[in-house]
Amino acid sequence: MIVMILNVKASKFPYSPGQEPNLPGNVDFLLQCMEEAGVDGALIVQPINHRFDHSYVTSVLKKYPNKFVGCCLANPADDGSGLKEFEHLVLKDGYRAVRFNPYLWPSGEKMTNEIGKAIFKRAGELNVSVGFMCMKGLDLHISEIEELCTEFPSTVVLLDHLAFCKPPLNDEEGLVFSKLLNLSRFPQVYVKFSALFRVSRTQFPYLDLSPLLSQIVSSFGANHVIWGSDFPFVVPECGYKEAKEAVKLIGNQISLPSSDLEWIMGKTAAQLFQSQLTASE
């Protein structure tokens, strides 16, 4: 299960200017939500609110080593310092994944530039997964993802939030979704069935995502699909526990086998991160 935590002790762990959160998302609240939903563990993604200051997430990972796995944020600075930062976070602080946010790259630069390829390659060498956050649309970045997957086939890829593909309403959107499905030709690619409220065109329980999940599982296999809540943003949308329940309801719509649901709700993450990240019943 994939989440993001936001610190409330801004004096100790300051936010990036202009990135102060407007909703609670600290680790104590997360643990409360997890307990209520029967979730045993989670992958915590470094929030953009703290930019490249990973001190808060790192402190949480050290306090709860058997509960959480960390995903750091790639720093694509022109000076190349991001590679050393990444190595430190993995080798010293134990992060097991890294997020590539294309909108943090310098203007005019792509994720396939020198620093992007260096971090992506090193991630594969360190057995660290790379997540892609294509908030403005998969079509803008799919060529970069394909290039990186082709050049570095040993690096595992995570496509955040269904790669931001909504249920297609026209041929153009259908083509983009077909491009997502076509990424299954790369065995290293996994899909996060996460932040359902962001990609659905309907309200909870987001049943319009049923055909998309069916096609994703058919193309990638359930063992390449990972549920994520998008905590804390999911809480005011439908609720944390309800976000977990939505996946079951969506699965029922397509007669998803219980074994596939088990993979999506925890086994895939546990296998990928070699941990006990499972969403208990």
Side-chain angles (χ1 to χ4, degrees), residues 63-231:
K63 186 174 182 179
Y64 302 99
N66 298 318
K67 181 71 73 172
F68 300 119
V69 170
C71 175
C72 58
L73 185 63
N75 182 355
D78 285 328
D79 60 9
S81 60
L83 178 59
K84 288 187 177 180
E85 291 178 19
F86 167 67
E87 291 178 327
H88 177 89
L89 289 165
V90 173
L91 298 174
K92 301 296 183 182
D93 297 327
Y95 284 77
R96 301 303 310 145
V98 57
R99 169 171 282 178
F100 273 34
N101 183 334
Y103 317 112
L104 294 178
W105 257 252
S107 179
E109 294 287 332
K110 294 185 176 182
M111 295 182 289
T112 48
N113 67 0
E114 184 177 354
I115 184 61
K117 286 190 174 182
I119 295 177
F120 192 87
K121 178 184 179 182
R122 189 67 174 128
E125 295 169 348
L126 295 173
N127 194 29
V128 169
S129 304
V130 176
F132 288 98
M133 188 70 163
C134 303
M135 284 190 90
K136 297 181 181 179
L138 174 64
D139 211 31
L140 295 176
H141 309 291
I142 192 167
S143 62
E144 299 164 73
I145 295 171
E146 290 175 327
E147 181 178 338
L148 290 168
C149 287
T150 300
E151 191 167 342
F152 307 104
S154 64
T155 302
V156 171
V157 166
L158 307 173
L159 299 174
D160 289 319
H161 308 339
L162 269 178
F164 286 87
C165 288
K166 293 189 174 186
L169 294 178
N170 51 52
D171 291 343
E172 182 179 354
E173 292 178 354
L175 178 60
V176 174
F177 185 66
S178 68
K179 289 180 180 180
L180 166 60
L181 297 178
N182 195 36
L183 287 175
S184 63
R185 72 187 190 276
F186 297 107
Q188 76 230 61
V189 175
Y190 290 69
V191 179
K192 290 183 185 178
F193 192 60
S194 53
L196 305 187
F197 66 92
R198 295 187 189 275
V199 292
S200 173
R201 299 186 188 276
T202 63
Q203 297 299 309
F204 174 86
Y206 316 119
L207 296 182
D208 63 332
L209 298 178
S210 298
L212 276 67
L213 179 60
S214 178
Q215 294 176 74
I216 289 289
V217 171
S218 295
S219 295
F220 290 88
N223 63 344
H224 275 60
V225 183
I226 304 174
W227 170 65
S229 66
D230 198 20
F231 175 92

Side-chain angles (χ1 to χ4, degrees), residues 35-54:
E35 183 176 0
E36 293 173 351
V39 173
D40 298 326
L43 173 70
I44 296 179
V45 180
Q46 166 71 5
I48 192 65
N49 308 76
H50 292 288
R51 201 75 169 186
F52 304 115
D53 180 355
H54 291 74

Side-chain angles (χ1 to χ4, degrees), residues 4-23:
M4 183 178 290
I5 55 172
L6 302 175
N7 162 48
V8 291
K9 300 177 181 177
S11 58
K12 185 175 182 181
F13 302 106
Y15 296 111
S16 181
Q19 292 287 347
E20 294 78 8
N22 57 6
L23 77 172

